[in-house]
Amino acid sequence: MQSTAPATIPHSGHDRLVLQRGVFLGPSTRVNPDLYVQIEKGSGDRRRHDMTLAKNSFAHTNTYFGRFAASYWQRWTTVGAVTASLRIATSGRVRVRLLASDIAGHRRIVSVQETRSDAVLTFEAPLDKFVDGGALWLEFETFGESAVVDCLEWTHATTVPRRPVAIAICTFNRATDCAHTVAALASDDVVLSLIDTVHVVDQGTDLVQDQPEFADARARMGDTLVYLRQPNLGGAGGFTRGLYEVTASRSGVDVILMDDDILCEPETVLRLSAFANVTAQPTLVGAQMLFLLNPDYLNVGAEEVDFLHLQHGRTVGKALSNKSMIKKNQERRVDAGYNAWWTCLIPSEVVEEIGLPLPMFFQWDDVEYGVRAGRAGFPTVTLPNAAVWHADFYWKDFDDWARYFSTRNSLIVGSLHSDLNTTVLSRMFLRHIAEYVVGMQYGLAHTTLKGIEDWLSGPDHLADGGMAAMARIRADRKEYPETIMHPAATAPVPSAEVRVSRAGGEPSAMRAVLAKRGVDQFLGRTIGGLVGVTREDAHWWHIARFDHVVVTDASQGGVRIRKRDKARGVALMVRAVKVMRRLRREAPALQEQYRAAGAELIARENWARLYGIDADAPTTESVR
């Protein structure tokens, strides 16, 4: 039995807002369909917006994308009740249950209906018992004959029209990935009908517009798709260009910032937009991140920032982290401090009130904007059951040029939104650099120190949006051989001499071990020969025991070669001590400088200067 129904139930007029659709199959074959609907008994055929259940079968949507996140809707929106509507096509008996959970995952039946023929079933559920946690979902059971389930929608009665939503995608030399993302948005007619514009900001040389898939999407999207080219100003410059263009041309348009290299779930756009439409106050609404290489796994339920130690990406207490969403559901409501910009909706009122992001090129720009919005009274909600897939972070090596921006920008954001505790920070940085040095990561130590030194130079180094800093740190790192990744088979070492050394248990007295390893490295009391260390064993306290080490890169794409260099290590530690003295001495004055420069840095005029455009000229609407 096949369904020919549209993906949504036609509603008369505009009296109902579609909050969430029933999606039964993911956007790619790499995605486990059990993230959408699970068939626990019998068999069935899952398609994108409909499902056929064989006779005597049982299925449910108590799944990652199938659940309705009732707790979040009750806490943050004006929706007091939700309606679940669906169509059943059958000649037999079908039972449908609406169920709910609480903070502990205990389930309760809300409503049960049966039909013995084709029917449209409607379930009403008040959102009155979900403040701290819980969700809603449906169960389907067939008896004797098969059935088709389709046109499933979660809706809310409202007279308020849906706000238009624009999408801004920043890309740099990921033309194929970006074209896939745009094509995914173009593939869903309902989602496409909600989108005001899609701004693709191309900052690279491998152009997205040259991709056949992008050309096909452009033909489908027409004037909705806006393609822009500009110099590489990093993620901050690319995403801000989208915000700049959209807010210049219209008011009242929400903007979703979206990475180029994600696996896009188009339904997420609908869910973010609908949620933002009915929040009690303008709210940044973020999608969660699932791992691209392990598509069942959630990165983190919600994140916050620790300003004392300048650490972002901190898991909010009780939030799920690195968990299989096939095996686990997020019952508890957890409140985010900010949302990363792999996919995040920003209401127009937020941009009007707090301005544009800071020109920090890369790293911490999303953190700063979320924190700034929060302090202006605009909360961030990371919405469960709305997600995209993004490259797994633990496949990226920590020893990378990005560490410069992470270090520098963390100090900038800390300066703006906290009083830096330089005693804590100087000790923390000094310890980190000592660990890098004894681990023979001299380039990483330099990268970190350079980030601190550039922060100490004051806000003027942000004048070009970060382009010079990017070029400089990449050039600097070439002077440190261990920053270069080599193919494992052809690395410039005698492979036959490499002997693998496994790490033992983690030491208990880390400070004492660090001091001992430092002395041993200085005096040359290390183990000679060529040693191989796998990624899982690449701890500084293990690697510091040796003279010459071949370490597997986190990407598993090759190896890094570390070799003890006493002179370089001593020079870096002396430099680190001097930099920490400066940090303690100069931080109070520098904080005031960054705070004084903030308004000018985020101004539209400053961004127009960086883009090389006239701030008073018409926007790019005319060059779609």
Side-chain angles (χ1 to χ4, degrees), residues 458-479:
D460 288 348
H461 71 273
L462 296 174
D464 73 339
M467 288 187 286
M470 172 65 165
R472 185 176 59 248
I473 197 61
R474 290 176 74 99
D476 285 356
R477 286 176 56 82
K478 291 179 180 178
E479 301 300 316

Side-chain angles (χ1 to χ4, degrees), residues 3-276:
S3 169
T4 58
T8 60
I9 300 172
H11 293 294
S12 58
H14 300 282
D15 59 335
R16 303 205 67 83
L17 177 68
V18 178
L19 310 178
Q20 178 172 316
R21 295 178 299 170
V23 182
F24 301 102
L25 194 64
S28 167
T29 54
R30 69 192 304 174
V31 174
N32 192 329
D34 283 350
L35 285 170
Y36 292 84
V37 62
Q38 293 186 14
I39 302 173
E40 292 194 343
K41 175 187 172 185
S43 62
D45 183 15
R46 293 171 279 205
R47 295 171 293 275
R48 182 67 175 158
H49 291 287
D50 65 278
M51 169 182 65
T52 300
L53 272 182
K55 64 182 181 179
N56 302 321
S57 295
F58 174 83
H60 64 80
T61 64
N62 188 22
T63 61
Y64 183 80
F65 285 107
R67 312 177 101 214
F68 182 80
S71 178
Y72 287 76
W73 289 87
Q74 181 177 352
R75 168 62 180 88
W76 295 107
T77 78
T78 57
V79 175
V82 64
T83 300
S85 301
L86 66 150
R87 190 168 67 181
I88 300 291
T90 187
S91 58
R93 177 180 162 216
V94 178
R95 177 183 296 154
V96 183
R97 296 184 184 91
L98 175 65
L99 292 100
S101 61
D102 60 16
I103 190 173
H106 301 133
R107 53 181 273 156
R108 62 185 184 274
I109 297 175
V110 178
S111 182
V112 181
Q113 295 186 46
E114 288 193 2
T115 182
R116 294 177 180 272
S117 61
D118 294 357
V120 173
L121 305 183
T122 301
F123 296 85
E124 303 290 339
L127 300 183
D128 59 356
K129 292 181 174 63
F130 301 96
V131 172
D132 288 335
L136 292 161
W137 69 90
L138 293 167
E139 292 182 347
F140 312 96
E141 192 168 8
T142 58
F143 303 89
E145 296 293 338
S146 64
V148 173
V149 180
D150 64 7
C151 296
L152 170 57
E153 288 183 335
W154 301 81
T155 64
H156 167 62
T158 181
T159 57
V160 178
R162 183 186 281 268
R163 291 163 61 100
V165 61
I167 295 174
I169 302 173
C170 167
T171 186
F172 176 77
N173 288 347
R174 287 176 172 150
T176 302
D177 291 339
C178 186
H180 287 336
T181 299
V182 175
L185 295 171
S187 70
D188 191 309
D189 289 339
V190 172
V191 170
L192 194 55
S193 72
L194 306 176
I195 296 174
D196 186 70
T197 55
V198 175
H199 281 76
V200 175
V201 183
D202 196 337
Q203 303 184 127
T205 53
D206 181 13
L207 301 183
V208 180
Q209 67 178 358
D210 295 338
Q211 295 290 313
E213 194 172 22
F214 183 80
D216 293 343
R218 178 174 245 169
R220 183 175 175 80
M221 299 173 80
D223 287 349
T224 299
L225 184 57
V226 181
Y227 183 77
L228 303 172
R229 292 188 62 193
Q230 68 181 31
N232 182 21
L233 292 166
F239 286 128
T240 300
R241 183 65 183 273
L243 288 171
Y244 180 99
E245 297 291 341
V246 172
T247 56
S249 61
R250 296 185 59 180
S251 62
V253 180
D254 297 332
V255 182
I256 295 177
L257 306 181
M258 181 178 287
D259 267 345
D260 57 348
D261 58 342
I262 59 171
L263 173 57
C264 177
E265 170 51 81
E267 174 69 13
T268 290
V269 172
L270 182 147
R271 297 182 185 186
L272 297 184
S273 174
F275 192 89

Side-chain angles (χ1 to χ4, degrees), residues 287-584:
Q288 293 186 329
M289 173 189 147
L290 299 169
F291 289 130
L292 189 60
L293 298 179
N294 297 277
D296 298 351
Y297 278 74
L298 176 72
N299 174 42
V300 62
E303 295 180 303
E304 59 188 0
V305 59
D306 171 9
F307 278 117
L308 179 62
H309 300 96
L310 296 183
Q311 294 177 345
H312 67 329
R314 305 290 289 180
T315 302
V316 172
K318 302 296 184 179
L320 297 181
S321 178
N322 194 25
K323 297 293 184 183
S324 169
M325 302 314 292
I326 299 296
K327 301 176 182 178
K328 188 77 173 176
N329 283 319
Q330 183 177 313
E331 301 289 1
R332 182 186 297 268
R333 195 196 79 246
V334 288
D335 298 335
Y338 72 95
N339 199 90
W341 285 351
W342 44 68
T343 297
C344 182
L345 180 148
I346 299 176
S348 61
E349 294 92 336
V350 174
V351 182
E352 292 168 4
E353 176 70 22
I354 73 171
L356 294 168
L358 280 168
M360 297 195 297
F361 192 83
F362 180 71
Q363 294 277 348
W364 282 79
D365 47 338
D366 45 8
V367 179
E368 191 281 326
Y369 201 79
V371 171
R372 192 189 339 154
R375 297 194 172 182
F378 302 107
T380 293
V381 173
T382 300
L383 187 64
N385 319 123
V388 296
W389 290 267
H390 186 280
D392 311 31
F393 291 138
Y394 57 83
W395 286 84
K396 297 181 180 180
D397 203 282
F398 189 84
D399 188 355
D400 186 69
W401 58 264
R403 199 55 41 201
Y404 164 85
F405 289 102
S406 182
T407 303
R408 186 200 71 173
N409 294 350
S410 70
L411 286 162
I412 294 172
V413 178
S415 301
L416 295 173
H417 298 297
S418 71
D419 291 322
L420 296 176
N421 187 323
T422 54
T423 299
V424 170
L425 291 176
S426 59
R427 289 174 180 170
M428 179 190 75
F429 282 131
L430 196 59
R431 178 168 176 173
H432 287 171
I433 291 164
E435 290 173 358
Y436 303 154
V437 168
V438 301
M440 296 174 281
Q441 292 181 290
Y442 307 115
L444 179 57
H446 167 76
T447 303
T448 304
L449 285 168
K450 187 61 180 172
I452 302 169
E453 289 165 342
D454 279 5
W455 178 80
L456 287 166
S457 71
D460 288 348
H461 71 273
L462 296 174
D464 73 339
M467 288 187 286
M470 172 65 165
R472 185 176 59 248
I473 197 61
R474 290 176 74 99
D476 285 356
R477 286 176 56 82
K478 291 179 180 178
E479 301 300 316
Y480 296 87
E482 81 282 353
T483 66
I484 300 170
M485 185 172 71
H486 305 275
T490 58
V493 292
S495 295
E497 297 180 14
V498 177
R499 65 186 191 281
V500 175
S501 175
R502 298 301 309 273
E506 183 173 307
S508 56
M510 282 294 192
R511 291 182 181 178
V513 172
L514 179 58
K516 183 179 185 305
R517 294 288 192 269
V519 171
D520 289 345
Q521 283 269 316
F522 180 78
L523 297 176
R525 296 189 308 216
T526 50
I527 301 172
L530 193 57
V531 176
V533 176
T534 64
R535 177 71 184 101
E536 64 179 335
D537 291 326
H539 312 291
W540 62 264
W541 43 265
H542 178 58
I543 289 177
R545 298 169 57 229
F546 308 104
D547 241 0
H548 197 182
V549 185
V550 179
V551 184
T552 305
D553 189 82
S555 70
Q556 297 293 307
V559 296
R560 312 270 190 116
I561 302 171
R562 305 187 200 176
K563 192 170 185 179
R564 187 172 68 91
D565 186 331
K566 175 181 173 179
R568 180 161 265 178
V570 170
L572 284 165
M573 288 308 302
V574 170
R575 176 181 165 196
V577 170
K578 292 179 179 179
V579 170
M580 294 315 130
R581 288 175 180 167
R582 286 189 61 197
L583 179 65
R584 292 193 184 197

